[in-house]
Amino acid sequence: MKTPIQTPRSRRALFAAAALVTMTLGAAGGALAMPGGHGPHGPGMRGGGMMDGPGFGRMLEGINATPEQKAQIEQIWRTARGELRTQRETGAKLREQMQQLFAQPSVDARAVEALRQQMLAQHDAVSKRTTQAMLDASRVLSAEQRKVLAERMSQRRAMAQRHRGEREALEGARN
């Protein structure tokens, strides 16, 4: 088997392609795997996050949800989480396939594009399912409860942005 001779230019192109793959996989993986904001589980959900665990109960208590409302919303999200878990597994498999394509001696651009399209379709399915669960849950809440919830989410977002800015300032001071 004949191995191609790498010139400095081809090495730069290879390095640029590898960097692009790393960034793409990181972004795709981050968007799909880290639902720390807008991942596969929707806004504010970290692997279940706001729609799971004690934070979920506090959120419902904070908007004075009735026991019936709590039960309905918990069921909506329990069902959605099960479906989203399957989607997350599918997304992980697609990311692995993308890694494998870029690890080949020769990268097949058509295969990469086809897989990218599959990843977009999978991400869209996650977004649709999350949105449907949010719509279903919104129908259980009153307009006033949704207003309070939106205000609290806005406050949390502002706090997160402030904390992010503080962390970045600290990191900048260290460098």
Side-chain angles (χ1 to χ4, degrees), residues 151-169:
E151 289 168 357
R152 290 191 179 182
M153 290 175 79
S154 180
Q155 290 168 355
R156 287 178 57 98
R157 190 171 32 256
M159 182 176 62
Q161 288 174 343
R162 186 176 65 248
H163 288 190
R164 188 177 316 114
E166 291 168 359
R167 282 192 309 274
E168 289 171 356

Side-chain angles (χ1 to χ4, degrees), residues 43-113:
M45 296 182 66
R46 295 186 188 279
M50 206 164 102
M51 299 305 161
D52 219 0
F56 183 60
R58 282 194 300 273
M59 183 223 20
L60 292 175
E61 288 172 15
I63 61 172
N64 298 318
T66 67
E68 294 81 18
Q69 287 176 312
K70 290 177 185 179
Q72 285 179 300
I73 292 172
E74 286 170 0
Q75 181 56 47
I76 289 166
W77 284 105
R78 187 176 306 117
T79 301
R81 279 192 306 271
E83 294 172 20
L84 291 169
R85 185 175 303 113
T86 302
Q87 289 291 341
R88 186 172 52 245
E89 292 165 3
T90 300
K93 289 175 186 172
L94 291 172
R95 288 187 302 279
E96 287 173 15
Q97 290 174 18
M98 185 68 82
Q99 266 183 313
Q100 291 169 0
L101 285 174
F102 278 101
Q104 298 302 311
S106 177
V107 178
D108 181 349
R110 288 186 183 135
V112 168
E113 177 59 20

Side-chain angles (χ1 to χ4, degrees), residues 15-35:
F15 177 76
L20 179 63
V21 169
T22 302
M23 291 187 308
T24 302
L25 291 174
L32 293 173
M34 78 145 223

Side-chain angles (χ1 to χ4, degrees), residues 102-153:
F102 278 101
Q104 298 302 311
S106 177
V107 178
D108 181 349
R110 288 186 183 135
V112 168
E113 177 59 20
L115 191 55
R116 186 187 73 81
Q117 292 292 329
Q118 285 182 313
M119 291 171 86
L120 284 173
Q122 189 270 335
H123 191 270
D124 188 52
V126 168
S127 176
K128 284 179 182 179
R129 182 59 185 104
T130 302
T131 300
Q132 186 59 55
M134 292 170 69
L135 285 168
D136 293 344
S138 75
R139 291 182 188 109
V140 174
L141 300 173
S142 70
E144 182 61 29
Q145 287 170 316
R146 290 192 312 271
K147 180 181 175 189
V148 170
L149 182 58
E151 289 168 357
R152 290 191 179 182
M153 290 175 79

